[in-house]
Amino acid sequence: MKTALNRMDRPQTLPLRKNIAPGPFSGLCGRALERYRSMGTNVNYPQGCRLFAEKDPAHSVFVLESGSVKMTTVSTEGRALILKIAGRGDILGLGSVLRRNQPGNSQYDFSAEALHPSIARVVRAQEFMNFLREFPSAGEAVTRTLLRDYHCTLRALRRFVFPATVAGRIADFLLEWCDGRRTGPVMFPVTHSDIAALTRTSRETVTRTMMKFRDDGLIQVKGASLTILKPEALARLTAGVMNMATHPNAALEVEPLSGQPSYPALEWRELA
């Protein structure tokens, strides 16, 4: 994490932006919307700045209004694992704050660090809980957020537990990032080291695989933007990731689409 050496490296408090309610709270209306708009503090986090650390007391929730944040945990062996890259509308620290009244559950479960300059609405835990109790519509929005987080976690777990090819895991991540559609260029503020931590491989292997995806016309990368050119081909590569749960003895090599190149079934153990 970058050490703050000057004012521009540190989080900066901004005027509270009352004209937006991003993500899960965009459907609020009336008094609930007005209450949300008046809550908390808008804070600008420079790239590399930490929002909170794993095992810190869960004092606030962080509703991302712009930018992207890397959520990480550290294994007992000291290896960093990226759990998710959060974006606009995600609520960081939500589960930890909801569990604050349970013994031994008053800490953040992961660390959060800004990948790009990010703005978050920081709401103190007690104020946020009072908001949920007063407005059922806000509670419903949070429930939908928790369900979405559950599905994201399940997909990430499946990517780790049922590895097919390295290419399949990386393709699965790219499709998830772009919502699986041919959407045109999307911002892609993720380094190859980050992708390696998300897909259980090495940075060098990510670089080779991304170059092969590009050379084979599956993706296009320009600066910090990514375009998926052939989502069907990437989806075919992920077949092992999706099918290993129901067919654990399936071959690790995934048969390519007709006319598409094959990708080596590199194993994580080869890269350790």
Side-chain angles (χ1 to χ4, degrees):
M1 184 187 69
K2 180 171 63 178
T3 302
L5 298 177
N6 56 61
R7 182 175 176 84
M8 295 305 295
D9 289 325
R10 303 188 182 98
Q12 301 290 310
T13 301
L14 304 173
L16 194 60
R17 303 198 294 181
K18 296 186 177 183
N19 60 333
I20 60 172
F25 300 115
S26 59
L28 296 180
C29 59
R31 290 181 56 245
L33 179 59
E34 290 303 314
R35 175 65 63 83
Y36 175 79
R37 286 174 171 173
S38 68
M39 284 170 31
T41 303
N42 277 117
V43 181
N44 178 35
Y45 294 92
Q47 180 178 357
C49 188
R50 180 174 288 176
L51 284 68
F52 56 83
E54 186 174 359
K55 297 185 178 180
D56 277 355
H59 54 78
S60 302
V61 296
F62 299 72
V63 184
L64 281 185
E65 297 191 347
S66 66
S68 55
V69 171
K70 177 169 59 177
M71 298 158 53
T72 62
T73 187
V74 178
S75 70
T76 54
E77 296 81 18
R79 180 169 183 165
L81 171 67
I82 299 179
L83 303 173
K84 177 183 176 182
I85 296 177
R88 183 179 185 271
D90 281 324
I91 307 177
L92 307 184
L94 175 60
S96 301
V97 164
L98 293 177
R99 300 195 315 269
R100 284 181 77 237
N101 293 329
Q102 301 178 21
N105 285 314
S106 60
Q107 300 174 332
Y108 289 117
D109 300 317
F110 53 85
S111 298
E113 178 185 319
L115 273 178
H116 271 191
S118 302
I119 296 175
R121 183 177 296 247
V122 183
V123 183
R124 301 294 295 183
Q126 192 58 57
E127 183 180 15
F128 188 75
M129 294 302 295
N130 291 341
F131 173 61
L132 298 185
R133 294 187 186 100
E134 185 175 354
F135 299 102
S137 58
E140 293 172 3
V142 164
T143 299
R144 289 192 293 270
T145 297
L146 290 171
L147 288 172
R148 186 187 66 178
D149 290 346
Y150 164 77
H151 286 294
C152 289
T153 302
L154 183 62
R155 181 164 186 165
L157 180 62
R158 181 170 54 189
R159 188 184 297 137
F160 275 99
V161 175
F162 303 114
T165 62
V166 170
R169 296 199 294 271
I170 295 174
D172 182 66
F173 168 71
L174 297 180
L175 288 170
E176 181 181 13
W177 184 270
C178 296
D179 293 328
R181 299 188 301 272
R182 192 194 305 264
T183 58
V186 297
M187 289 301 298
F188 193 64
V190 188
T191 68
H192 287 187
S193 294
D194 292 332
I195 298 174
L198 282 158
T199 57
R200 241 176 51 172
T201 187
S202 69
R203 180 184 60 79
E204 294 78 11
T205 299
V206 170
T207 298
R208 290 198 302 269
T209 303
M210 293 287 285
M211 289 179 62
K212 189 163 179 58
F213 284 175
R214 183 198 63 193
D215 293 344
D216 293 337
L218 275 62
I219 65 172
Q220 182 180 67
V221 179
K222 289 186 177 181
S225 70
L226 167 74
T227 303
I228 292 182
L229 302 175
K230 297 181 179 178
E232 298 86 359
L234 288 178
R236 184 64 178 272
L237 288 171
T238 70
V241 178
M242 302 307 171
N243 292 335
M244 284 292 286
T246 53
H247 302 286
N249 296 319
L252 292 179
E253 184 63 50
V254 179
E255 181 183 356
L257 288 170
S258 176
Q260 292 295 332
S262 62
Y263 292 83
L266 297 176
E267 291 289 348
W268 188 37
R269 61 174 176 268
E270 296 175 6
L271 306 167

